[in-house]
Amino acid sequence: MSTLSTLLAQTQWTDEERRYLLSLTKPEDVEALRARAFSVTTETMGPNVYLRGLIEISNLCTANCRYCGIRKSNHEVERYTLSQDQILACALEAHRLGYGSIAIQAGERRDEKWVRFIEDVLKAIHAATQDEAHPHGLGITLSLGEQTLEVYERWAAAAGNPEGLRYLLRIESSNPTLFNALHSTPGKYEKVLEHRYRALQDLRRAGYQVGTGVMIGLPNQTLDDLVHDLRTFETIDADMIGMGPYITSHGGDMVEEGMMAHDPLLQRTLNMIAVTRLVLTGANIAAATALETLEPGGRLKGITYGCNVVMPNITPQLTRTSYQLYDNKSGTEVGSEANRAIEAAINAIPGRQLGLFTLGSAKRWCARQG
Ligand code: SAM
């Protein structure tokens, strides 16, 4: 195989080369990978880091994903759903702060009452955030799980902002055996990987910027799995990537399987971010809350490895502790001062600045739109 410096100067990599880049651990090698990913980000995406105000609108969930603390079978969780007024207040706060977009996330529900509630929320946000400076209103990223094409279309129409319409649906892992293991309960598979791929195609058809991602460091996940995940991101032609480390959840059903040790998990996650940036140059890549949970300041590290999106949590304080996807989730006990701190810290990264009052759409999506 070529030397690392030759590899990093390439624009295409074999699976073997990708695997090697993901496996780097020596400080000077890791630094070379990080520096290359950072400069590719600057060249292709510019200096802006975009903020999406994250609103965790409900922890009600009909699914039983084994890794997740808000899974249906976890009866320890106090369930909540924010009212339309509460969600609108969060959206207006994001708008006031100059965040170009919000991200609306919840457990998975498919009943008509829920679908209509989301429609109403989206219409209200659109009506309240259109002004001269924002003719399209706030950008919206939805993360509400697998739905039908018809539902995706209804929500797209309600959002009223085709320029800033996005959906994040992680595949969690592209290895079908691992995916099944993560989503099985005795007697049935909760989820089917093929359905997720279909949902991602439906999202594209319905006009969304399509986001996906995986968890890194899952029990039994190999580097070859991550290489395959990268190929799958390319096949999906993802506009956005949201991925982070797998962290044990005592509300989940995988505690006995453990999790990777801190240092190797952190480096593997950062390497995966960097290699994703190299192969999907024009994608928006988010620095996940799970990365911050694993390592305080982890999101800032993620930015130096190629992330260009951060999702500050703007959910009302009252319900944050009930959206505990994994143990010790970062940001549940802190107020808005934590968001001001990360905003200041982003501006302090040499070569990076906050991208405010703009939608910050993925370059891949813009290029596809012509
Ligand atoms: N229900 C929607 C869905 O399934 O796409 C959105 C909410 S779901 C809780 C959001 C993401 O949280 C999942 O895609 C998963 O990758 C992540 N997540 C859940 N449990 C996790 C864990 N234990 N460690 C790391 N990430 C986790």
Side-chain angles (χ1 to χ4, degrees):
M1 205 188 306
S2 322
T3 62
L4 180 57
S5 59
T6 310
L7 272 186
L8 290 176
Q10 293 173 196
T11 54
Q12 289 187 359
W13 299 268
T14 64
D15 282 357
E16 193 196 350
E17 289 166 342
R18 291 170 180 218
R19 190 183 190 292
Y20 169 69
L21 292 174
L22 290 172
S23 74
L24 296 176
T25 52
K26 277 206 271 172
E28 63 274 25
D29 291 351
V30 160
E31 173 52 23
L33 173 64
R34 186 209 63 74
R36 181 70 190 134
F38 189 80
S39 71
V40 168
T41 312
T42 312
E43 284 157 26
T44 56
M45 311 301 291
N48 282 350
V49 175
Y50 301 107
L51 301 174
R52 321 285 190 221
L54 173 64
I55 316 174
E56 296 158 338
I57 64 169
S58 173
N59 66 358
L60 264 71
C61 193
T62 58
N64 248 324
C65 308
R66 292 185 56 235
Y67 44 84
C68 186
I70 62 166
R71 67 204 297 265
K72 179 174 74 176
S73 297
N74 182 8
H75 300 297
E76 306 293 308
V77 177
E78 199 178 326
R79 301 287 168 173
Y80 74 89
T81 300
L82 298 183
S83 69
Q84 179 171 315
D85 284 349
Q86 284 173 310
I87 300 169
L88 190 57
C90 296
L92 288 172
E93 175 67 359
H95 191 51
R96 188 186 68 76
L97 291 167
Y99 294 5
S101 303
I102 53 170
I104 292 180
Q105 196 182 90
E108 193 163 271
R109 275 178 65 182
R110 281 181 272 278
D111 54 287
E112 177 58 25
K113 190 176 164 200
W114 176 246
V115 173
R116 207 169 313 132
F117 174 70
I118 298 296
E119 272 185 317
D120 291 343
V121 164
L122 292 173
K123 283 180 190 163
I125 292 172
H126 185 57
T129 60
Q130 267 181 301
D131 55 34
E132 243 171 68
H134 310 86
H136 302 292
L138 263 186
I140 303 280
T141 304
L142 298 177
S143 179
L144 302 172
E146 288 174 35
Q147 307 287 344
T148 60
L149 173 60
E150 188 215 333
V151 168
Y152 290 145
E153 286 173 342
R154 281 173 62 181
W155 288 346
N161 182 356
E163 298 297 312
L165 177 70
R166 314 178 179 115
Y167 205 103
L168 180 62
L169 181 66
R170 290 185 180 180
I171 52 170
E172 315 298 358
S173 170
S174 65
N175 174 339
T177 308
L178 190 49
F179 184 94
N180 286 344
L182 295 173
H183 297 102
S184 62
T185 44
K188 75 168 189 166
Y189 288 124
E190 291 281 320
K191 304 265 178 183
V192 179
L193 190 51
E194 289 307 320
H195 293 177
R196 198 145 297 201
Y197 292 142
R198 193 192 314 143
L200 288 163
Q201 284 170 358
D202 286 345
L203 285 164
R204 175 87 66 212
R205 211 169 303 153
Y208 293 78
Q209 295 175 42
V210 173
T212 193
V214 294
M215 283 178 284
I216 299 153
L218 287 160
N220 301 317
Q221 183 187 53
T222 64
L223 281 183
D224 287 327
D225 289 331
L226 294 179
V227 169
H228 193 253
D229 293 339
L230 287 164
R231 291 283 177 209
T232 308
F233 296 163
E234 291 172 286
T235 306
I236 291 168
D237 198 8
D239 302 306
M240 318 179 306
I241 298 292
M243 60 187 173
Y246 164 72
I247 296 175
T248 305
S249 168
H250 275 80
D253 177 35
M254 291 175 53
V255 178
E256 278 155 29
E257 291 165 56
M259 67 180 268
M260 272 181 79
H262 172 278
D263 290 2
L265 177 56
L266 178 62
Q267 197 56 59
R268 185 167 292 191
T269 304
L270 294 169
N271 289 2
M272 184 66 175
I273 289 169
V275 181
T276 302
R277 170 57 68 206
L278 297 185
V279 302
L280 281 183
T281 51
N284 277 343
I285 304 180
T289 309
L291 184 52
E292 188 74 25
T293 303
L294 181 69
E295 166 90 355
R299 286 177 300 180
L300 296 171
K301 278 211 167 98
I303 291 170
T304 69
Y305 275 75
C307 291
N308 68 324
V309 170
V310 169
M311 294 161 63
N313 196 336
I314 57 168
T315 310
Q317 205 63 44
L318 207 60
T319 58
R320 280 197 203 182
T321 45
S322 298
Y323 203 84
Q324 199 77 234
L325 306 181
Y326 37 80
D327 296 346
N328 306 315
K329 181 166 159 257
S330 172
T332 50
E333 306 295 345
V334 294
S336 55
E337 71 283 357
N339 292 341
R340 298 301 83 73
I342 180 108
E343 289 160 25
I346 290 168
N347 269 329
I349 298 176
R352 290 293 175 266
Q353 63 188 27
L354 291 176
L356 296 173
F357 299 102
T358 174
L359 288 172
S361 291
K363 293 280 187 293
R364 293 173 75 82
W365 183 80
C366 296
R368 201 179 307 107
Q369 297 302 107

